[in-house]
Amino acid sequence: MTIHTDLPDQAKQKPAIVHPLWLRLTHWLNALAVLIMVTSGWQIYNASPLFDFDFPRAVTLGDWLGGGIQWHFAGMWLFGINGLFYLLMNIFTGRMKKKFWPLTPRGIFNDLLAALRGKLKHDDLRHYNMVQRAAYVFVMFDGIVLVLSGLVVWKSVQFPLLRELMGGFDTARYVHFLAMASLVGFVVLHIVMVALVPKTLIAMIRGR
Protein backbone atom coordinates (compact mmCIF):
# COMPACT_ATOMS: atom_id res chain seq x y z
CA MET A 1 0.00 0.00 0.00
CA THR A 2 1.37 3.35 -1.00
CA ILE A 3 0.68 6.41 1.13
CA HIS A 4 0.71 9.64 -0.81
CA THR A 5 1.97 12.52 1.30
CA ASP A 6 2.06 15.08 -1.48
CA LEU A 7 -0.35 17.93 -0.93
CA PRO A 8 -2.52 19.19 -3.77
CA ASP A 9 -1.01 22.00 -5.82
CA GLN A 10 -3.54 24.47 -4.46
CA ALA A 11 -2.57 23.67 -0.88
CA LYS A 12 1.12 24.23 -1.67
CA GLN A 13 0.53 27.64 -3.15
CA LYS A 14 0.87 30.66 -0.91
CA PRO A 15 -1.99 33.17 -0.81
CA ALA A 16 -1.78 35.66 -3.65
CA ILE A 17 -0.14 39.03 -3.00
CA VAL A 18 -2.82 41.61 -2.30
CA HIS A 19 -0.58 44.67 -1.89
CA PRO A 20 2.99 44.88 -3.28
CA LEU A 21 5.79 46.09 -1.01
CA TRP A 22 6.00 49.57 -2.60
CA LEU A 23 2.29 50.11 -1.96
CA ARG A 24 2.52 49.08 1.68
CA LEU A 25 5.52 51.35 2.26
CA THR A 26 3.87 54.36 0.65
CA HIS A 27 0.65 53.68 2.57
CA TRP A 28 2.33 53.75 5.99
CA LEU A 29 4.60 56.67 5.10
CA ASN A 30 1.53 58.56 3.95
CA ALA A 31 -0.25 57.75 7.21
CA LEU A 32 2.70 59.26 9.11
CA ALA A 33 2.82 62.30 6.83
CA VAL A 34 -0.91 62.93 7.19
CA LEU A 35 -0.69 62.68 10.99
CA ILE A 36 2.13 65.25 11.04
CA MET A 37 0.52 67.56 8.51
CA VAL A 38 -2.94 67.59 10.07
CA THR A 39 -1.90 68.04 13.70
CA SER A 40 0.72 70.69 12.89
CA GLY A 41 -1.77 72.35 10.54
CA TRP A 42 -4.22 72.64 13.43
CA GLN A 43 -1.50 74.38 15.43
CA ILE A 44 -1.00 76.87 12.58
CA TYR A 45 -4.76 77.32 12.20
CA ASN A 46 -5.12 78.26 15.87
CA ALA A 47 -2.79 81.21 15.31
CA SER A 48 -5.24 82.68 12.77
CA PRO A 49 -8.59 80.82 12.83
CA LEU A 50 -10.89 80.85 9.82
CA PHE A 51 -13.93 79.94 11.88
CA ASP A 52 -15.21 80.59 15.37
CA PHE A 53 -13.39 77.70 17.03
CA ASP A 54 -9.91 76.47 17.91
CA PHE A 55 -8.48 72.98 17.95
CA PRO A 56 -7.64 71.66 21.45
CA ARG A 57 -3.95 72.01 22.18
CA ALA A 58 -3.76 68.31 23.10
CA VAL A 59 -4.33 67.31 19.46
CA THR A 60 -1.94 69.84 17.90
CA LEU A 61 1.74 69.42 17.09
CA GLY A 62 4.44 72.04 17.59
CA ASP A 63 3.46 73.79 20.87
CA TRP A 64 3.53 77.20 19.17
CA LEU A 65 3.17 78.75 15.71
CA GLY A 66 6.86 78.47 14.76
CA GLY A 67 7.04 74.87 15.92
CA GLY A 68 3.85 74.01 14.06
CA ILE A 69 5.23 75.52 10.85
CA GLN A 70 8.48 73.56 11.15
CA TRP A 71 6.61 70.28 11.64
CA HIS A 72 4.26 71.18 8.77
CA PHE A 73 7.19 71.74 6.40
CA ALA A 74 8.76 68.44 7.44
CA GLY A 75 5.49 66.60 6.83
CA MET A 76 4.96 68.52 3.59
CA TRP A 77 8.05 67.07 1.93
CA LEU A 78 7.21 63.54 3.04
CA PHE A 79 3.59 63.90 1.92
CA GLY A 80 4.52 65.44 -1.44
CA ILE A 81 7.37 63.14 -2.44
CA ASN A 82 5.67 59.99 -1.17
CA GLY A 83 2.38 60.97 -2.80
CA LEU A 84 4.05 61.69 -6.14
CA PHE A 85 5.82 58.33 -6.04
CA TYR A 86 2.51 56.60 -5.24
CA LEU A 87 0.73 58.25 -8.16
CA LEU A 88 3.52 57.51 -10.64
CA MET A 89 3.76 53.88 -9.55
CA ASN A 90 0.01 53.45 -9.90
CA ILE A 91 0.10 54.91 -13.39
CA PHE A 92 3.19 53.18 -14.78
CA THR A 93 2.44 49.76 -13.29
CA GLY A 94 -1.10 49.86 -14.67
CA ARG A 95 -2.55 49.60 -11.17
CA MET A 96 -4.52 52.82 -11.59
CA LYS A 97 -6.57 51.41 -14.45
CA LYS A 98 -6.81 47.90 -13.05
CA LYS A 99 -7.83 48.79 -9.51
CA PHE A 100 -9.89 51.96 -9.84
CA TRP A 101 -11.69 51.61 -13.18
CA PRO A 102 -14.37 51.29 -14.40
CA LEU A 103 -16.12 53.68 -12.03
CA THR A 104 -19.77 54.54 -12.63
CA PRO A 105 -22.42 56.42 -10.60
CA ARG A 106 -24.78 53.44 -10.90
CA GLY A 107 -22.12 51.04 -9.64
CA ILE A 108 -21.28 53.33 -6.71
CA PHE A 109 -24.97 53.60 -5.78
CA ASN A 110 -25.53 49.83 -5.94
CA ASP A 111 -22.45 49.00 -3.87
CA LEU A 112 -23.26 51.74 -1.36
CA LEU A 113 -26.78 50.35 -0.99
CA ALA A 114 -25.34 46.85 -0.50
CA ALA A 115 -22.92 48.18 2.12
CA LEU A 116 -25.73 49.87 4.07
CA ARG A 117 -27.61 46.57 4.05
CA GLY A 118 -24.54 44.68 5.23
CA LYS A 119 -24.43 42.65 2.03
CA LEU A 120 -21.26 44.02 0.46
CA LYS A 121 -18.75 41.17 0.23
CA HIS A 122 -15.01 41.44 0.90
CA ASP A 123 -13.97 37.90 -0.04
CA ASP A 124 -11.21 38.89 -2.47
CA LEU A 125 -9.16 41.82 -1.19
CA ARG A 126 -7.39 42.10 -4.54
CA HIS A 127 -10.51 43.69 -6.02
CA TYR A 128 -12.04 46.97 -4.87
CA ASN A 129 -15.77 47.53 -4.93
CA MET A 130 -17.18 50.70 -6.47
CA VAL A 131 -17.41 52.53 -3.14
CA GLN A 132 -13.75 51.82 -2.39
CA ARG A 133 -12.73 52.92 -5.88
CA ALA A 134 -14.65 56.18 -5.55
CA ALA A 135 -13.18 56.85 -2.10
CA TYR A 136 -9.58 56.22 -3.19
CA VAL A 137 -9.93 58.28 -6.37
CA PHE A 138 -11.47 61.09 -4.32
CA VAL A 139 -8.70 61.08 -1.73
CA MET A 140 -6.04 61.18 -4.48
CA PHE A 141 -7.76 64.23 -6.00
CA ASP A 142 -8.13 65.74 -2.52
CA GLY A 143 -4.41 65.27 -1.90
CA ILE A 144 -3.60 67.18 -5.08
CA VAL A 145 -5.91 70.02 -4.00
CA LEU A 146 -4.21 70.05 -0.60
CA VAL A 147 -0.77 70.41 -2.16
CA LEU A 148 -1.80 73.13 -4.64
CA SER A 149 -3.73 75.20 -2.10
CA GLY A 150 -0.88 74.71 0.38
CA LEU A 151 1.59 76.12 -2.14
CA VAL A 152 -0.56 79.25 -2.47
CA VAL A 153 -0.77 79.69 1.30
CA TRP A 154 2.97 79.08 1.67
CA LYS A 155 4.35 80.93 -1.38
CA SER A 156 1.54 83.15 -2.58
CA VAL A 157 3.81 85.66 -4.32
CA GLN A 158 5.86 82.97 -6.07
CA PHE A 159 2.77 81.29 -7.56
CA PRO A 160 0.62 84.16 -8.87
CA LEU A 161 -1.23 82.12 -11.50
CA LEU A 162 -2.02 79.35 -9.05
CA ARG A 163 -3.12 81.98 -6.53
CA GLU A 164 -5.54 83.47 -9.06
CA LEU A 165 -6.89 80.04 -9.99
CA MET A 166 -7.54 79.43 -6.31
CA GLY A 167 -9.45 82.69 -6.05
CA GLY A 168 -6.78 84.54 -4.10
CA PHE A 169 -4.83 83.94 -0.91
CA ASP A 170 -7.79 84.11 1.47
CA THR A 171 -9.88 81.72 -0.62
CA ALA A 172 -6.93 79.33 -0.86
CA ARG A 173 -6.89 79.13 2.94
CA TYR A 174 -10.52 78.03 2.95
CA VAL A 175 -9.86 75.54 0.14
CA HIS A 176 -6.90 74.16 2.08
CA PHE A 177 -8.96 73.82 5.25
CA LEU A 178 -11.87 72.10 3.50
CA ALA A 179 -9.49 69.72 1.72
CA MET A 180 -7.91 68.91 5.08
CA ALA A 181 -11.35 68.29 6.62
CA SER A 182 -12.21 65.97 3.72
CA LEU A 183 -8.98 64.05 4.24
CA VAL A 184 -9.67 63.66 7.95
CA GLY A 185 -13.18 62.45 7.13
CA PHE A 186 -11.73 59.86 4.75
CA VAL A 187 -9.26 58.67 7.40
CA VAL A 188 -12.02 58.26 9.98
CA LEU A 189 -14.18 56.31 7.52
CA HIS A 190 -11.15 54.25 6.49
CA ILE A 191 -10.42 53.29 10.10
CA VAL A 192 -14.06 52.31 10.66
CA MET A 193 -14.01 50.06 7.58
CA VAL A 194 -10.75 48.45 8.72
CA ALA A 195 -12.35 47.74 12.10
CA LEU A 196 -15.27 46.08 10.33
CA VAL A 197 -12.99 44.05 8.02
CA PRO A 198 -9.77 43.44 10.05
CA LYS A 199 -8.16 41.26 7.38
CA THR A 200 -7.62 44.39 5.29
CA LEU A 201 -5.16 45.63 7.94
CA ILE A 202 -3.32 42.31 7.92
CA ALA A 203 -3.03 42.49 4.13
CA MET A 204 -1.61 46.02 4.34
CA ILE A 205 1.03 44.82 6.81
CA ARG A 206 1.95 41.42 5.38
CA GLY A 207 0.93 41.94 1.78
CA ARG A 208 -1.34 38.86 1.82
Side-chain angles (χ1 to χ4, degrees):
M1 181 177 64
T2 303
I3 299 176
H4 296 281
T5 57
D6 292 339
L7 295 174
D9 291 340
Q10 291 182 349
K12 293 180 180 179
Q13 294 177 353
K14 292 182 179 180
I17 291 291
V18 177
H19 303 303
L21 179 60
W22 69 263
L23 179 67
R24 283 175 279 147
L25 289 175
T26 54
H27 173 274
W28 293 113
L29 285 174
N30 192 61
L32 175 62
V34 167
L35 180 62
I36 293 173
M37 291 285 287
V38 169
T39 53
S40 62
W42 289 346
Q43 177 68 54
I44 297 170
Y45 167 91
N46 285 347
S48 181
L50 291 171
F51 304 100
D52 190 23
F53 70 88
D54 291 337
F55 290 99
R57 187 171 183 178
V59 296
T60 63
L61 179 65
D63 286 335
W64 58 298
L65 177 59
I69 291 175
Q70 289 179 344
W71 274 109
H72 208 63
F73 284 166
M76 172 190 72
W77 290 111
L78 179 59
F79 183 79
I81 294 173
N82 185 66
L84 180 61
F85 178 77
Y86 170 83
L87 285 175
L88 292 177
M89 285 295 290
N90 269 285
I91 293 171
F92 290 118
T93 62
R95 186 176 183 274
M96 182 73 76
K97 182 179 180 180
K98 180 180 179 181
K99 292 288 188 180
F100 304 117
W101 305 106
L103 187 61
T104 64
R106 186 183 185 88
I108 295 171
F109 176 79
N110 290 337
D111 279 357
L112 181 59
L113 191 61
L116 293 175
R117 292 176 176 176
K119 296 181 178 180
L120 192 60
K121 297 181 179 180
H122 300 276
D123 297 331
D124 190 350
L125 298 181
R126 292 173 298 175
H127 301 287
Y128 294 148
N129 59 58
M130 287 285 185
V131 175
Q132 287 176 303
R133 295 178 190 180
Y136 291 135
V137 169
F138 167 78
V139 80
M140 283 187 275
F141 173 77
D142 187 61
I144 294 172
V145 173
L146 267 171
V147 171
L148 295 180
S149 58
L151 286 175
V152 174
V153 175
W154 178 36
K155 295 287 187 179
S156 182
V157 176
Q158 287 82 352
F159 296 98
L161 178 59
L162 187 57
R163 183 184 68 240
E164 293 304 315
L165 291 174
M166 284 283 171
F169 174 81
D170 291 331
T171 303
R173 288 192 65 201
Y174 283 97
V175 171
H176 197 63
F177 182 91
L178 294 175
M180 176 277 299
S182 298
L183 179 60
V184 171
F186 169 84
V187 170
V188 171
L189 181 61
H190 190 57
I191 293 174
V192 170
M193 294 307 298
V194 168
L196 293 175
V197 190
K199 63 182 179 180
T200 57
L201 176 61
I202 297 174
M204 188 53 73
I205 296 173
R206 298 177 55 193
R208 303 178 187 274

